[in-house]
C-alpha cells in the first residue's frame, strides 16, 4: 500500500513538473559581430582596428515567459553586452548592461521594471536604415548625445488597436534628498499598418554631473518608413535642447532621409543626416552614409559600410558604429555578424 502511495506521489509530481515546463519558456540568444574599422580625420591621425559590434552590439542574453493563466504572462530579459574583440563586458563593464528587466503582459498592456532602452533609442533603431549600427548610423549626428538606456525605470506599453499603440516611461533618479535629480520621463506613440510605420517619441531627463551641476535634456523625434517592396523609404526629424546650469549646451534641429534596397541576399543602405545647430556657435554638421550586406545564411551576414561627416564652424562630430563612438569624421567598416 505504501509503495502504491509513493508511486502515485512521484507520478503526480512528474505531471506537475511537465505542466510547469509547458507553461514556462526560456530562450538563450546572442550576436557575435566583429570586423575591421578604418577611421580618418581624428586629431591623432588614421586608426585601424578590429572592433566588436559594428553592425549590432555583440551580446549574450536570456529571455523568458511564464503563462500565469487568465491571459496574463510574466516576462523577463537579461541582456549582456560583450566586447568580442577582447572578451570584456560592454556598457562600462556592467554584467547585463544592455537590458535587465522583469514584467507582466496581458490584455491591458505590458508593464516592465528595470534597466531598459529609452523610447528615443528604440525609435531611432526603427527609423534608421542602418538600425543604429555601421559607420552610417544616424545617431552620429542625429540627436547626438541622447540618453539610450535608463536604470531603475518603469515602462508601460499599451495594446495595439487599429495599428495604434502608446508607451510611457519613468526612471527614478534615486538621489537622496532630491527626487527630481537624475529623473527621467518618456512617452511614445506608434502607428503601423501595411507598408507604413510612423513613430513619435519624447524624453525629458534631469542630469546631475560629478560637480553637482544640475541640467536638463529634452529630445523629440518624429519619423516614418514606407516599404514599397523594391525600396524602403526612411525619414525623420528631431529637436533637441539641453542645459547645464544656466548654460545652453545643445539646441538643434535634425533631419534624416534614407533608403533600404533589399534584393535577397543583398541589401543596400543609404542615408543623409543634417544637424542644424541653433546656438550662436552655429556648429552645423551633415553626414552621408552607405552600406551593403550579404546574407550568407539566415544567421550569418557579411557587411561593408562607409560614412563621412562634414563639420562646420568648429563642430567635432565623429563617425562611430553600434558600440564604438569613433575618432574621426570618416570611417570604413568590413565585418561579419552571426546571430544565434
Amino acid at each position: 500500500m505504501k509503495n502504491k502511495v509513493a508511486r502515485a506521489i512521484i507520478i503526480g509530481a512528474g505531471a506537475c513538473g511537465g505542466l510547469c515546463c509547458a507553461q514556462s519558456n526560456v530562450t538563450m540568444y546572442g550576436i557575435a559581430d566583429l570586423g575591421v574599422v578604418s577611421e580618418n580625420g581624428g586629431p591623432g591621425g588614421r586608426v585601424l582596428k578590429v572592433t566588436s559590434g559594428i553592425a549590432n552590439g555583440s551580446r549574450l542574453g536570456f529571455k523568458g515567459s511564464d503563462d500565469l493563466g487568465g491571459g496574463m504572462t510574466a516576462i523577463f530579459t537579461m541582456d549582456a553586452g560583450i566586447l568580442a574583440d577582447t572578451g570584456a563586458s560592454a556598457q562600462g563593464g556592467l554584467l547585463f548592461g544592455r537590458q535587465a528587466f522583469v514584467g507582466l503582459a496581458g490584455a491591458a498592456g505590458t508593464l516592465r521594471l528595470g534597466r531598459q532602452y529609452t523610447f528615443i533609442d528604440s525609435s531611432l533603431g526603427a527609423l534608421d536604415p542602418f538600425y543604429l549600427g555601421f559607420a552610417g548610423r544616424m545617431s552620429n549626428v542625429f540627436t547626438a548625445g541622447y540618453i539610450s538606456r535608463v536604470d531603475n525605470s518603469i515602462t508601460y506599453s499599451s495594446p495595439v488597436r487599429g495599428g495604434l499603440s502608446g508607451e510611457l516611461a519613468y526612471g527614478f533618479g534615486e538621489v537622496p534628498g532630491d527626487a527630481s535629480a537624475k529623473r527621467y520621463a518618456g512617452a511614445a506613440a506608434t502607428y503601423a499598418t501595411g507598408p507604413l510605420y510612423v513613430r513619435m517619441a519624447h524624453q525629458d531627463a534631469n542630469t546631475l554631473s560629478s560637480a553637482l551641476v544640475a541640467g536638463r535634456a529634452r529630445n523629440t523625434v518624429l519619423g516614418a518608413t514606407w516599404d514599397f517592396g523594391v525600396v524602403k523609404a526612411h525619414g525623420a526629424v528631431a529637436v533637441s535642447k539641453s542645459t547645464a546650469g544656466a548654460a545652453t549646451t545643445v539646441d538643434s534641429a535634425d533631419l534624416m532621409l534614407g533608403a533600404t534596397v533589399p534584393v535577397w541576399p543583398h541589401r543596400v543602405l543609404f542615408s543623409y543626416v543634417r544637424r542644424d545647430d541653433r546656438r550662436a556657435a552655429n556648429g552645423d554638421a551633415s553626414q552621408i552614409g552607405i552600406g551593403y550586406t550579404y546574407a550568407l545564411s539566415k544567421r550569418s551576414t557579411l557587411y561593408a559600410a562607409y560614412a563621412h561627416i562634414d563639420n562646420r564652424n568648429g563642430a567635432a562630430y565623429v563617425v562611430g558604429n553600434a558600440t564604438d563612438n569613433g575618432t574621426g569624421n570618416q570611417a570604413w567598416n568590413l565585418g561579419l555578424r552571426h546571430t544565434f
Side-chain angles (χ1 to χ4, degrees):
M1 182 68 180
K2 290 182 179 180
N3 289 338
K4 291 181 179 180
V5 172
R7 185 178 300 174
I9 292 174
I10 292 172
I11 293 173
C16 289
L19 179 60
C20 290
C21 289
Q23 291 177 333
S24 301
N25 177 43
V26 177
T27 301
M28 182 177 74
Y29 63 91
I31 296 176
D33 183 322
L34 281 160
V36 177
V37 173
S38 175
E39 298 173 345
N40 296 278
R46 184 187 181 201
V47 179
L48 184 64
K49 56 189 177 182
V50 172
T51 297
S52 171
I54 297 171
N56 302 104
S58 298
R59 69 198 70 173
L60 177 63
F62 305 88
K63 60 183 178 181
S65 61
D66 183 20
D67 187 352
L68 305 177
M72 186 70 70
T73 303
I75 58 174
F76 82 92
T77 292
M78 306 295 286
D79 198 352
I82 299 171
L83 300 177
D85 53 334
T86 63
S89 293
Q91 289 80 49
L94 296 176
L95 178 57
F96 292 105
R98 294 184 58 83
Q99 294 186 94
F101 65 79
V102 67
L104 291 172
T110 302
L111 188 71
R112 301 181 181 89
L113 296 89
R115 177 175 171 84
Q116 303 175 70
Y117 291 111
T118 64
F119 298 149
I120 294 293
D121 189 84
S122 60
S123 298
L124 299 189
L127 298 168
D128 186 4
F130 293 87
Y131 302 98
L132 291 185
F134 305 99
R137 66 174 186 174
M138 65 191 294
S139 56
N140 289 331
V141 174
F142 196 95
T143 62
Y146 71 93
I147 296 173
S148 60
R149 296 177 178 89
V150 176
D151 295 334
N152 315 309
S153 65
I154 299 176
T155 65
Y156 167 75
S157 302
S158 75
V160 179
R161 297 284 188 269
L164 185 65
S165 60
E167 298 171 276
L168 295 171
Y170 186 89
F172 295 84
E174 300 190 355
V175 176
D178 189 350
S180 66
K182 299 177 69 175
R183 180 179 59 190
Y184 165 89
T190 303
Y191 178 74
T193 179
L196 176 64
Y197 175 89
V198 181
R199 171 92 168 172
M200 184 174 185
H202 174 77
Q203 66 184 33
D204 190 331
N206 292 338
T207 60
L208 192 65
S209 71
S210 58
L212 301 182
V213 176
R216 185 180 182 186
R218 287 165 287 172
N219 307 96
T220 303
V221 172
L222 173 63
T225 65
W226 188 289
D227 193 345
F228 295 94
V230 295
V231 62
K232 184 176 182 180
H234 303 249
V237 294
V239 291
S240 302
K241 190 166 186 176
S242 67
T243 58
T248 299
T249 57
V250 174
D251 188 358
S252 68
D254 305 332
L255 168 71
M256 183 278 292
L257 297 173
T260 303
V261 183
V263 183
W264 180 262
H266 313 278
R267 184 180 295 265
V268 178
L269 318 171
F270 171 81
S271 73
Y272 168 78
V273 187
R274 165 77 176 171
R275 186 173 184 87
D276 179 16
D277 184 4
R278 295 176 171 178
R279 300 174 304 162
N282 196 31
D284 296 341
S286 60
Q287 173 183 279
I288 293 290
I290 186 168
Y292 167 77
T293 68
Y294 178 79
L296 299 170
S297 69
K298 290 185 177 180
R299 296 191 297 168
S300 299
T301 303
L302 286 171
Y303 59 79
Y306 168 80
H308 179 272
I309 296 176
D310 180 16
N311 288 305
R312 302 184 183 94
N313 301 320
Y317 297 100
V318 295
V319 177
N321 52 62
T323 57
D324 193 336
N325 289 331
T327 61
N329 70 326
Q330 178 178 281
W332 290 89
N333 308 151
L334 180 64
L336 171 67
R337 175 185 61 202
H338 177 75
T339 63
F340 60 91

